[in-house]
Amino acid sequence: MLEFIQLGLGGGGVFDSANFLDYIAGHMPVSTFEELSIPLSVVATDYWTGESVVFTEGDLFTAIKASMAVPVLFEAVQYGDMLLIDGGTSNPVPFDLLVGQVDIVVAIDVTGRREPVADEARPGVVDMLFKTKEIMQQSIIAAKLRTAEPDIYLQPQLEGVRLLHFNKVHEIMEQAAPTAEELRSQLLGAGW
């Protein structure tokens, strides 16, 4: 999977997402929001204001590139006057965009958990960086949950999975199976 993530130190990010986006584009029959059969909202964050930017129309891959632009890892996306970074920076689980707009809101929180590791006295610098981001994201989510709640809120238990583990998709799906079953059960229980 490393062929999808190339070093790209020149643009403000360690990695260049172009190959990954090309791979996704090669497997999708659409390239704009308007071509999608199910409405989609993609969230990015304006670096300058800290505000969420929600894409619902136009080029799909510009929105995806902006939404996945994790600071330091991937280059930010210039979009008009805005410099866009990872949507998880301002709205990690954007269920609030759907409250009052749809019949049922399901929020799946994959921001992660921090567990002490017996073998290590302290986390390394990379773990510290990403886990600190998780703490901030979880604080945002907790604040949002105090003002609006989704109908169903789930947090899959994913162990040994980090941000750039694209190659662990089968392992992720296996670990998420109990959460998928819980979702199925709650939807059936609610009459869906």
Side-chain angles (χ1 to χ4, degrees):
M1 279 302 216
L2 287 177
E3 66 269 20
F4 298 124
I5 305 297
Q6 302 294 320
L7 285 177
L9 297 173
V14 175
F15 300 106
D16 181 355
S17 61
N19 287 351
F20 180 69
L21 291 170
D22 288 344
Y23 174 79
I24 292 173
H27 289 79
M28 290 181 60
V30 300
S31 61
T32 68
F33 283 87
E34 291 77 14
E35 295 173 273
L36 296 170
S37 57
I38 299 173
L40 174 68
S41 297
V42 175
V43 179
T45 303
D46 183 352
Y47 172 80
W48 301 117
T49 66
E51 297 292 321
S52 290
V53 176
V54 181
F55 288 90
T56 58
E57 58 185 32
D59 182 64
L60 195 54
F61 295 99
T62 298
I64 293 170
K65 184 175 183 178
S67 182
M68 68 179 273
V70 175
V72 180
L73 287 184
F74 296 107
E75 180 179 1
V77 174
Q78 191 69 47
Y79 188 77
D81 293 340
M82 297 179 285
L83 186 63
L84 301 179
I85 59 173
D86 173 24
T89 306
S90 62
N91 198 347
V93 184
F95 66 84
D96 54 309
L97 300 178
L98 300 174
V99 173
Q101 305 296 315
V102 296
D103 295 332
I104 186 168
V105 176
V106 176
I108 311 293
D109 178 358
V110 294
T111 56
R113 298 188 190 313
R114 290 155 316 284
E115 301 289 337
V117 180
D119 301 7
E120 299 177 20
R122 300 176 65 125
V125 68
V126 173
D127 278 337
M128 186 69 79
L129 176 69
F130 292 124
K131 295 299 181 181
T132 300
K133 182 177 187 258
E134 288 174 6
I135 292 169
M136 291 184 285
Q137 288 179 319
Q138 290 163 358
S139 294
I140 292 168
I141 294 165
K144 284 180 19 178
L145 286 169
R146 287 192 290 271
T147 60
E149 289 188 24
D151 298 294
I152 298 173
Y153 180 79
L154 300 170
Q155 291 180 295
Q157 299 293 320
L158 301 175
E159 295 180 12
V161 178
R162 292 186 180 164
L163 184 65
L164 296 176
H165 285 172
F166 298 113
N167 60 330
K168 292 190 173 186
V169 67
H170 297 295
E171 182 181 332
I172 293 167
M173 296 298 286
E174 185 177 314
Q175 288 188 46
T179 304
E181 190 54 44
E182 182 182 348
L183 174 58
R184 184 178 296 110
S185 174
Q186 286 194 39
L187 288 171
L188 290 172
W192 292 92

